[in-house]
Amino acid sequence: MPVELLTEDLDFTPECERALLEIFARYDKDHDGALNDTELQAFAIFTNGHEFSETELEDIRNYLKCTDKRWLLKEGFLQMYSLQTASGDSDETWKDLEKHGYNRDLILRKLVFGGSE
């Protein structure tokens, strides 16, 4: 049985949060704590097979925690997955975690990267 992604209070379990933050860090190439447009699109391409649309980018910028430059913060990245997972789409969250090398125990089995190394 896989580990849980969320607690009863709909917060991420420590294992899930750790995995998501590790994935975020892979794409934060300049280590500034935010994903700029290039970093965010690298995440989208690897995870979904295509870039975020302009509408999706605007939704991210308008509704998730971003910098003054409108770059997605770690907190916004977690918020994005929290909204997805808590809304009942945990299968999509699992798909993303597995795409990034995690198994259903949230153990990193294979380190994989999207975008340029």
Side-chain angles (χ1 to χ4, degrees), residues 6-80:
L6 299 173
T7 66
E8 289 181 15
D9 295 329
L10 299 181
D11 295 321
F12 285 119
T13 61
E15 298 87 358
C16 184
E17 184 169 328
R18 183 175 52 252
L20 291 171
L21 289 175
E22 186 277 324
I23 292 167
F24 177 91
R26 290 187 211 178
Y27 293 92
D28 185 16
K29 300 291 187 189
D30 56 8
H31 308 288
D32 65 353
L35 299 182
N36 62 39
D37 288 348
T38 301
E39 294 165 336
L40 185 58
Q41 291 294 27
F43 165 78
I45 291 167
F46 184 79
T47 306
N48 304 318
H50 56 83
E51 291 187 342
F52 285 122
S53 69
E54 194 55 42
T55 300
E56 290 168 322
L57 286 174
E58 282 304 309
D59 286 346
I60 288 168
R61 293 171 182 145
N62 290 330
Y63 301 112
L64 303 178
K65 292 183 181 176
C66 293
T67 68
D68 291 341
K69 293 181 181 179
R70 303 181 76 196
W71 296 347
L72 185 65
L73 290 165
K74 275 189 241 184
E75 296 84 358
F77 188 80
L78 291 175
Q79 189 180 15
M80 177 174 69

Side-chain angles (χ1 to χ4, degrees), residues 5-6 12 16 20 80-90 93:
L5 298 177
L6 299 173
F12 285 119
C16 184
L20 291 171
M80 177 174 69
Y81 273 103
S82 177
L83 290 168
Q84 175 176 281
T85 309
S87 71
D89 204 359
S90 62
T93 301

